[in-house]
Each structure stands twice: as C-alpha cells, then as structure tokens.
C-alpha cells in the first residue's frame, strides 16, 4: 500500500540522467515557479490566513522569499537597484535583527495588504531583476543559499496551509486524492559496528553552515531499523495505554500531554487523519506522521528501543547519498504540474523521504562552528538552544534539498511538520 501522507502535485524538479546538472539560472527559475504553482489552488483568504503562531500564511512565504532575494542579492549587489516598496521589509523580514524591526510573527495573518496579486507582481519584478545577477559567479554561493532558503519555505508553505485547512470545519482539500504506487517498507535492522565516524558536510557542494565543520564522532555498536514506525504500530501504542503510562514519558513530555490534552498524533480523528486531500482513512502500513519529539521518545521506550543519535543516523545514511553527477534534473519538467512524481529527494536512499525522523541529539553547534559573517549568519546558529535534530526528508521536501549531513530542527512539542521516527537500539 502507498503511504497515506498526501503528496503535493509534482512540478518538483525531476531527475533525468539524460540531461546535465542544471544551471543556477534553471534552478532559480524552477524554485520560484514551484512556490507560485503551490499558490494556485488557494483563494486570497486561504493564502492570507495564519492558523497559529508557528505557521505563516502562504502569501507571507511567497513574499518573504522574495524579500530574501531583494535584500541579500539585489539591494546588496545590483548597482542602482531600488526596493520595490520600502514599507514591505517590515512585513516580510522574518527574524533578521540586523535587518531592522519587523511585524510580530503572530501578526503575519493580519497582513491583508498587499494582496496576493500584488505579491505575485513583486515576485515577477524581482525575478526579472535577478536575471543580471544569476550569471555572476562571485554570487553563486549566495544564490545557492537563496534557492535552498526558498525550498525550505516551499515545505513550510505546504505544512502551514495543511494546518490552516485542518482548522476549517469543512475540511477543504488542496488537491484531489492521488493513488501512488510505492514499494512496501522492508523489515529488519541495519547493524553498525561502531567506531569513529566522520560527521558533517564533506562535499564541495552546497550545505548549510550548521552541517559543518566535518568532525569525528565515536559511536558504540548499534542497530537502526530499516523502516519507519507505522500508523498501525501507533494504534497499538494507543491501545496499550501508551499515552496514559507516565513511565514512558519524560517529565516535560508528561506535563505537555496534560496541558495540551494530547492523546494521538496531530490530525488524527477516529480512524481518519487530515491530509492535503481532506480527511482520509489512515493506511496502517504508512509511516506515522505529525508526532512530537516527546511522543517519538515515549513510543521508542514503549517498543523497548530508543531514538538514534544524529551521528548514528548519518553514519548509516552516508553511503546512501548518490554522487553529485547523479543528482541532475530536467528543469523543463518543472512546469508540468500534472506530471506525477512523488517528491522524494534526489540522490538519497532508503533512509530518506516520507517523514523527517527525530533523533535524540540536541541541536548544537559542531566543534569549531562559526556563524557566517553578516546578516545571513543569523540563518541557523542563533537557533541552537532547546531544539532537537531531525534527519532525512519528508514527502513535502523539494527533491534534492536534503542529504545525509542535513540537520533539520524543531522544538520538542512541535508536530505540524511531517515528523515521524525510526527506531534504534544498542547491540
Ligand atoms: Fe526564511
């Protein structure tokens, strides 16, 4: 059975070994187009609503990514460029203190103006202005960052609109349901003898600053499950009283359960769950999704296992990255909304896809880590407090965005992302 996490329509960059690596210009165009394609099913109200502080309006994502290009590329590098509207940085700066004051995060849903059409016009303006800079090799690293940044917001746009729609009593669908054939998960464990593992980005390709510096980590022997925990197993956990047994839960987690009245993953209702295609019956064989770190940890305890560390996960995944030469895409396919292709990441193996996987590793700087100079130094480093590392990629991650050294991170109670778990154990 295919897993039941709904996939967005597929103008994600396609893999095609018959074409060479895409140019920065092609990838810029495909990424910008993808954001706009995902807005198409949305009304003005859909695109403007903010359903909780963690989630941002779809229109805000479309505008904020444009602010990023306009601020860090055009304003700083294109002589004579003037801001499209000088009042908009206040609305669409996310968290860059060095870029000045900004609207409170929880108030992003109050930005009814500019309209979606005005934001789309701004996007066209910025795309055209970027044409000059896309050929400038000295800006390649910053352009890579801008593409990766917009890819991250594409995933957030998908998860945020899903949350907003879930709050609508009508349970609206963003797309029609599609049946995708996927291979079943494989049982078993991947044993690792332990030893010194090389951790962190070791390629010459793009990586975020938090993926480095590469360093050594000492691992004890362990085993990692070949498959993700499923909805059916989570049903067993619930039926066995998992949410009511304090012995399984961390103290903070037990207080969170009580405070927030949690007794199932987010979006569960009876034997259904909410998806981008509305309410659907859950597939018991599909990976469980939308759980918190607290829940992942409790389930692992119930199963007599534990969560992997980020270092263990990466040591196993390392061999599953494909070489850069195989990570090619056909930019022309980026315009085909109706071309079916599940958005699994490019250049990855069995540890990637479906859901982000919690590790038991706190999100901390690697040895000798230093934030980048300037405003973009605020991208990752300042969030290294109180969050947990997740590895892999999800069904909503843009293809090719993730890699074995990639570090996603969330607070332990958050669960609106496509988050799940893969068990680990000592051997
Ligand atoms: Fe951002």
């Amino acid at each position: 059975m295919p897993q039941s996490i709904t996939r967005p329509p597929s103008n994600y960059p396609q893999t095609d070994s018959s074409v060479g690596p895409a140019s920065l210009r092609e990838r810029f165009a495909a990424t910008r187009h993808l954001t706009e394609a995902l807005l198409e099913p949305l009304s003005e109200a859909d695109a403007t609503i903010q359903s909780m502080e963690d989630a941002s309006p779809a229109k805000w994502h479309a505008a904020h990514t444009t602010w990023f290009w306009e601020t860090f590329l055009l304003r700083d590098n294109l002589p004579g460029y003037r801001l499209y509207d000088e009042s908009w940085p206040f609305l669409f700066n996310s968290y860059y203190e060095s870029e000045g004051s900004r609207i409170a995060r929880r108030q992003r849903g109050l930005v009814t103006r500019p309209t979606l059409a005005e934001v789309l016009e701004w996007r066209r303006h910025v795309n055209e202005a970027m044409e000059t800079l896309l050929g400038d090799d000295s800006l390649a690293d910053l352009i890579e960052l801008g593409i990766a940044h917009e890819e991250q917001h594409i995933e957030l746009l998908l998860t945020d609109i899903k949350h907003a729609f879930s709050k609508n009593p009508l349970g609206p669908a963003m797309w029609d349901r599609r049946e995708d054939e996927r291979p079943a998960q494989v049982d078993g464990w991947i044993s690792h003898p332990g030893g010194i593992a090389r951790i962190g980005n070791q390629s010459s390709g793009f990586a975020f600053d938090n993926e480095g510096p590469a360093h050594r980590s000492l691992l004890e022997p362990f085993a990692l499950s070949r498959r993700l925990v499923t909805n059916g197993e989570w049903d067993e956990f619930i039926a066995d009283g998992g949410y009511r047994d304090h012995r399984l839960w961390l103290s903070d987690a037990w207080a969170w359960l009580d405070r927030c009245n949690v007794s199932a993953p987010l979006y569960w209702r009876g034997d259904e769950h909410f998806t981008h295609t509305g309410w659907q019956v859950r597939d018991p064989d599909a990976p469980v999704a939308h759980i918190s770190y607290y829940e992942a940890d409790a389930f692992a305890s119930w199963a007599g296992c534990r969560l992997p560390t980020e270092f263990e996960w990466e040591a196993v995944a390392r061999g599953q990255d494909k070489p850069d030469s195989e990570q090619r895409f056909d930019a022309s396919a980026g315009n085909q909304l109706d071309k079916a292709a599940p958005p699994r990441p490019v250049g990855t193996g069995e540890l990637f896809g479906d859901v982000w996987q919690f590790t038991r590793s706190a999100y901390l700087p690697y040895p000798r880590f230093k934030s980048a100079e300037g405003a973009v130094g605020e991208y990752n480093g300042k969030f290294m407090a109180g969050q947990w590392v997740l590895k892999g990629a999800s069904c909503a991650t843009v293809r090719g965005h993730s890699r074995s050294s990639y570090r996603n991170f969330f607070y332990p109670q958050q669960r609106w992302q496509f988050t799940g778990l893969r068990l680990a154990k000592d051997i």
Side-chain angles (χ1 to χ4, degrees):
M1 285 288 288
Q3 54 85 41
S4 59
I5 297 168
T6 310
R7 299 183 189 85
S10 50
N11 69 336
Y12 282 75
Q14 306 289 300
T15 53
D16 183 344
S17 58
S18 67
V19 297
S23 67
L24 270 187
R25 189 180 300 275
E26 290 170 322
R27 290 170 51 215
F28 173 83
T31 307
R32 297 289 284 168
H33 171 76
L34 181 50
T35 299
E36 289 145 22
L38 293 173
L39 295 169
E40 283 176 12
L42 305 182
S43 69
E44 179 84 28
D46 292 338
T48 305
I49 191 174
Q50 181 177 28
S51 55
M52 64 170 172
E53 186 166 356
D54 283 340
S56 297
K59 183 175 73 178
W60 187 89
H61 287 298
H64 163 70
T65 47
T66 304
W67 168 84
F68 192 96
W69 291 110
E70 184 173 72
T71 303
F72 299 126
L73 271 299
L74 296 173
R75 183 199 65 183
D76 292 352
N77 296 284
L78 186 61
Y81 183 82
R82 296 179 60 179
L83 295 187
Y84 187 76
D85 188 311
E86 293 196 348
S87 63
W88 289 4
F90 180 81
L91 302 176
F92 302 124
N93 173 6
S94 52
Y95 52 67
Y96 292 84
E97 300 291 346
S98 49
E99 287 298 328
S101 59
R102 71 211 78 93
I103 192 170
R105 183 184 180 100
R106 66 180 181 284
Q107 294 182 335
R108 291 175 183 170
L110 302 180
V111 182
T112 55
R113 306 295 175 93
T115 64
L116 180 57
E118 289 170 326
V119 168
L120 291 173
E121 190 53 43
W122 182 30
R123 289 181 65 90
R124 276 189 287 278
H125 176 86
V126 164
N127 289 349
E128 279 181 27
M130 278 296 299
E131 276 298 314
T132 311
L133 298 188
L134 289 170
D136 185 341
D137 289 344
S138 70
L139 297 174
D141 288 351
L142 202 50
I143 293 168
E144 287 274 12
L145 178 66
I147 292 171
H149 172 255
E150 184 140 356
E151 288 176 343
Q152 289 182 320
H153 278 279
I154 284 168
E155 178 155 7
L156 290 169
L157 189 160
L158 286 164
T159 52
D160 292 357
I161 196 66
K162 177 175 179 177
H163 188 265
F165 278 10
S166 79
K167 295 296 182 186
N168 186 323
L170 299 179
M174 193 160 168
W175 307 294
D176 293 336
R177 184 175 169 84
R178 228 179 53 206
E179 295 293 345
D180 291 327
E181 286 303 320
R182 277 166 34 93
Q185 294 202 87
V186 179
D187 285 332
W189 295 85
I190 304 165
S191 295
H192 191 288
I196 295 176
R198 193 79 176 155
I199 297 298
N201 177 48
Q202 294 153 51
S203 79
S204 57
F206 173 80
F208 285 110
D209 58 359
N210 63 2
E211 297 172 54
H215 63 284
R216 292 164 293 180
S217 179
L218 180 59
L219 306 180
E220 295 297 319
F222 70 96
L224 190 64
S225 176
R226 289 190 181 279
R227 62 177 184 78
L228 299 161
V229 169
T230 65
N231 286 328
E233 290 172 302
W234 207 274
D235 276 323
E236 291 175 32
F237 172 63
I238 293 174
D240 196 41
Y243 278 91
R244 300 191 303 274
D245 186 346
H246 69 87
R247 295 170 300 175
L248 301 174
W249 296 81
L250 296 163
S251 176
D252 284 357
W254 191 243
W256 171 76
L257 278 190
D258 185 49
R259 186 170 67 250
C260 299
N261 198 25
V262 172
S263 58
L266 185 63
Y267 302 135
W268 280 33
R269 179 179 78 179
D271 63 353
E272 295 180 322
H273 64 165
F274 191 74
T275 74
H276 284 95
T277 61
W279 288 99
Q280 303 287 348
V281 174
R282 289 192 302 275
D283 175 358
D285 296 327
V288 68
H290 298 296
I291 54 167
S292 64
Y293 173 83
Y294 291 146
E295 290 166 288
D297 180 79
F299 181 95
S301 296
W302 174 77
C305 297
R306 61 172 173 80
L307 299 177
T309 66
E310 64 167 315
F311 312 109
E312 291 170 336
W313 194 101
E314 185 172 336
V316 174
R318 176 72 58 190
Q320 296 185 12
D321 278 330
K322 291 184 180 176
D324 288 348
S325 60
E326 293 180 38
Q327 296 196 35
R328 302 169 173 178
F329 77 43
D330 175 2
S332 65
N335 293 323
Q336 298 173 29
L337 262 178
D338 57 351
K339 182 172 179 178
R344 292 173 71 81
V346 176
T348 55
E350 63 180 302
L351 261 62
F352 294 82
D354 293 322
V355 290
W356 290 100
Q357 298 149 50
F358 278 109
T359 72
R360 67 191 316 184
S361 298
Y363 178 49
L364 294 171
Y366 286 160
R368 300 183 298 281
F369 171 80
K370 284 193 178 67
S371 292
E373 295 286 321
V376 294
E378 295 187 49
Y379 202 108
N380 282 309
K382 72 179 188 180
F383 298 108
M384 292 174 174
Q387 307 205 59
W388 297 88
V389 174
L390 298 93
K391 301 291 280 185
S394 87
C395 58
T397 307
V398 175
R399 280 183 166 203
H401 179 74
S402 188
R403 56 200 153 260
S404 57
S405 61
Y406 197 95
R407 306 171 81 198
N408 203 348
F409 51 91
F410 287 103
Y411 290 101
Q413 76 281 4
Q414 290 177 316
R415 55 186 195 158
W416 91 111
Q417 295 299 302
F418 285 100
T419 48
L421 79 158
R422 180 186 304 274
L423 296 173
K425 62 183 181 182
D426 301 317
I427 57 175

